[in-house]
Amino acid sequence: MTRKLTKKYLWLPLLLCLSFPLGVLAMENEDCLGCHNDRDSVGEELFIDAQIFDHTVHAALGCVACHESVTEEHPDDGLSPSKAVCLDCHSEVNDEYAGSVHAENASCGDCHNPHQVRGLADVSGHDLNQQCAACHDGAEMVQQHAVWLTQADLHLAMLPCISCHTASEENQIVLYIIQKESDAVFGDFVLSEHADLQQLAGEKAPQRLIDLNGDSFISLTELRTFHRKPANQNLRLQATLMPKEVTHRVDIRDNRYDCSFCHAAGPESMQTSVLALPTAAGSYQRFEVERGAVLDALYGTPDFYMMGTTRSASLNILGLLIIIGGTLMPLGHGALRFLTRKNRSQKGE
Amino acid sequence: MADKKQIYLQPKPVRIWHWLNALGIVTLCVSGAQIRFPEYISLLGDYRAVIKLHNTAGFVVAISFSIWFFYYTLVARNMGKIYLPSRDDLENGLLRQAKFYFLTYFLGWDNPHHPTPEDKFNPLQKSAYLAIMFVLVPLVSLTGILLTNVAPLRSLIVMIGGLKILVGLHFLLACSLCAFLFTHVYLATLGSSPLAHFKPMWTGWEEVEEHDEAAASH
């Protein structure tokens, strides 16, 4: 869907850019933000965070595209500017949205802030679940899912809700950097922010903390080095599973009820992973990671293990050897015992 | 022919523990194999069922381990005597017993060790059970407990080195226990008759030969 949508709607910003002289458009955004990016002049309710807005795809549309009725006199005219309806531009979402339980229960604005829209690749699993948590209380959800889901607390903490409540056929493993909240030996981990990583990286771009050679591709060796480096002691990679495509259907999927949808070796989607690093604008940038091996290697991602999925081949072999070792004694001894049975039967055994 | 005499070798709590443990560990091995290799093994139903079974069996083994531990330390108070190899065991016993199993047994000689309630295990058994009951089982249980509580115990798991190390350890320990099972069952058939050693673990009573002065005088 994402691909098609992008193509289908590319003309929109283009058209808008053509119908306004570029300079005016930029001016307009800046004009509006002159007041609306200033808490003191408009107050918390009407505050628009320019830092975030400027990095959204909506910024290219310009404020006026969605607030068409705003006048030269605003705000002195006392009129409330019009607000665009999302579906006017995003009709493709409607098919799915209208068929979901949320059509009656949650509007676009309940999950999206029009001034902070992000694509799926730009948000963390944590952010995604915040959207849902506004209505679906976290503790209550753990309780409801625990009826059938072992370690529901773990699943819901590590997975975006939409990994299971989605119509997307494919999934992808996404790695994030997390860090200890404090220096205490025994501490909780939180998602690292751009500033944290920038501080550690010093002069270089934060991606170079992992991507040592700067080729924007993360190899197994680079991951291992990252985890072994003492300076990174408080950093870890955390992995989650995300759908590849956004859908607005959240109906309960039968195949998610079946654990082996995820817990089985083989699904292609489990072999590809990306590293998502926070950007200064508060979104995420993704980097391709070496296929497959990452998940299997002990120090590639020491904290990511999915039962039945990411088992290590070398450990399997070692385990098998141990078990075979256990059968050698019975087999060898048993054979000799059989051959020498006469010695004992003479004793009346 | 020497006379036969019955001795009470395995008290009831020990027998209950043993069979609970046996059932538990076999279940754990099979369900564990299915959990690790779901696309090859599907003996015990779907994944959700097998996880539940594995966790329950793990719980049962932990409980039965406690029965065993408290029986020997608090009720019978002979844990040390039974499970700790003595100096003589280490210096001579191990070799003597190994020689029996791997050489003189085939020649038809008698087992140099004669079990009594206070000295149930031969030196080799003592050392093996010591490793199993004091290292293998506790470690595999401990890693299992961590693995069933990943979210609340995350910090601890990170301290240990991560989920993967923990899972790897759990897996290798489990393989070792499984390997031990084969040897254990086989060695149990080396009694005066193939089933001779199984009987006392079921009824408590072992039949020993009267001519055996060492055992009788204990």
Side-chain angles (χ1 to χ4, degrees), chain A residues 187-200:
Chain A
D188 273 338
F189 282 79
V190 290
L191 277 172
S192 296
E193 285 172 14
H194 180 77
D196 301 321
L197 298 181
Q198 188 63 70
Q199 196 186 353
L200 281 168

Side-chain angles (χ1 to χ4, degrees), chain B residues 155-173:
Chain B
S155 318
L156 191 66
I157 292 172
V158 167
M159 230 161 67
I160 291 169
L163 207 48
K164 269 191 185 154
I165 300 232
L166 197 65
V167 167
L169 199 63
H170 190 75
F171 172 65
L172 291 182
L173 288 168

Side-chain angles (χ1 to χ4, degrees), chain A residues 210-287:
Chain A
I210 298 189
D211 181 19
L212 299 173
N213 57 10
D215 62 355
S216 293
F217 176 82
I218 315 294
S219 72
L220 189 55
T221 330
E222 283 169 332
L223 281 180
R224 213 183 272 130
T225 316
F226 171 76
H227 276 296
R228 291 251 170 95
K229 203 169 158 192
N232 296 340
Q233 208 180 30
N234 287 338
L235 299 182
R236 284 263 163 175
L237 284 179
Q238 189 180 59
T240 188
L241 198 73
M242 276 208 197
K244 273 199 174 149
E245 293 182 348
V246 176
T247 74
H248 282 83
R249 269 177 44 195
V250 291
D251 34 327
I252 292 153
R253 312 214 72 200
D254 279 346
N255 61 4
R256 300 307 199 275
Y257 195 66
D258 171 10
C259 312
S260 49
F261 176 82
C262 292
H263 294 280
E268 269 297 289
S269 49
M270 308 281 176
Q271 297 300 306
T272 48
S273 41
V274 290
L275 174 70
L277 292 182
T279 64
S283 70
Y284 285 82
Q285 190 187 356
R286 290 189 171 185
F287 298 90

Side-chain angles (χ1 to χ4, degrees), chain B residues 84-132:
Chain B
L84 278 182
S86 67
R87 217 192 138 98
D88 178 61
D89 285 341
L90 292 176
E91 282 171 359
N92 311 309
L94 281 178
L95 203 68
R96 189 186 330 126
Q97 198 63 34
K99 205 171 104 196
F100 165 70
Y101 278 137
F102 292 106
L103 185 65
T104 57
Y105 170 83
F106 298 120
L107 304 176
W109 294 20
D110 267 341
N111 191 331
H113 179 262
H114 306 280
T116 67
E118 283 295 292
D119 188 18
K120 270 200 274 206
F121 301 139
N122 70 47
L124 271 182
Q125 275 176 310
K126 278 188 196 169
S127 321
Y129 291 152
L130 193 69
I132 282 158

Side-chain angles (χ1 to χ4, degrees), chain A residues 22-73:
Chain A
L22 255 179
V24 175
L25 186 68
M27 274 289 290
E28 294 260 15
N29 274 0
E30 269 169 35
D31 280 348
C32 309
L33 288 170
C35 292
H36 285 284
N37 188 37
D38 179 12
R39 280 198 176 83
D40 291 337
S41 54
V42 295
E44 193 61 47
E45 288 275 291
L46 303 181
F47 174 74
I48 311 282
D49 191 335
Q51 271 270 43
I52 298 177
F53 177 79
D54 286 345
H55 290 94
T56 66
V57 286
H58 279 174
L61 303 171
C63 309
V64 183
C66 291
H67 301 290
E68 277 176 315
S69 77
V70 73
T71 62
E72 293 285 326
E73 278 77 47

Side-chain angles (χ1 to χ4, degrees), chain A residues 148 151 187 257 263 265 295 297 301-305 311 315-316 322 326 329 333-334 336-337 343-344 347 349, chain B residues 36 38-39 48 101 105-106 108 110 147-148 150 154-155 162-164 167-168 171 179 182-183 186-187 189 192:
Chain A
W148 60 274
Q151 302 201 45
Y257 195 66
H263 294 280
L295 299 174
T301 50
D303 284 323
F304 185 71
Y305 179 79
R311 51 182 187 242
L315 278 192
N316 287 346
I322 292 177
M329 147 87 193
H333 197 277
L336 277 175
R337 177 186 184 182
N343 291 345
R344 288 180 303 281
K347 290 194 63 196
E349 222 175 77
Chain B
R36 193 168 174 95
E39 67 281 17
R48 195 142 39 95
Y101 278 137
Y105 170 83
F106 298 120
D110 267 341
L147 286 174
T148 44
V150 174
R154 178 128 237 150
S155 318
L163 207 48
K164 269 191 185 154
V167 167
F171 172 65
F182 291 117
T183 310
Y186 176 77
L187 284 175
T189 67
S192 55

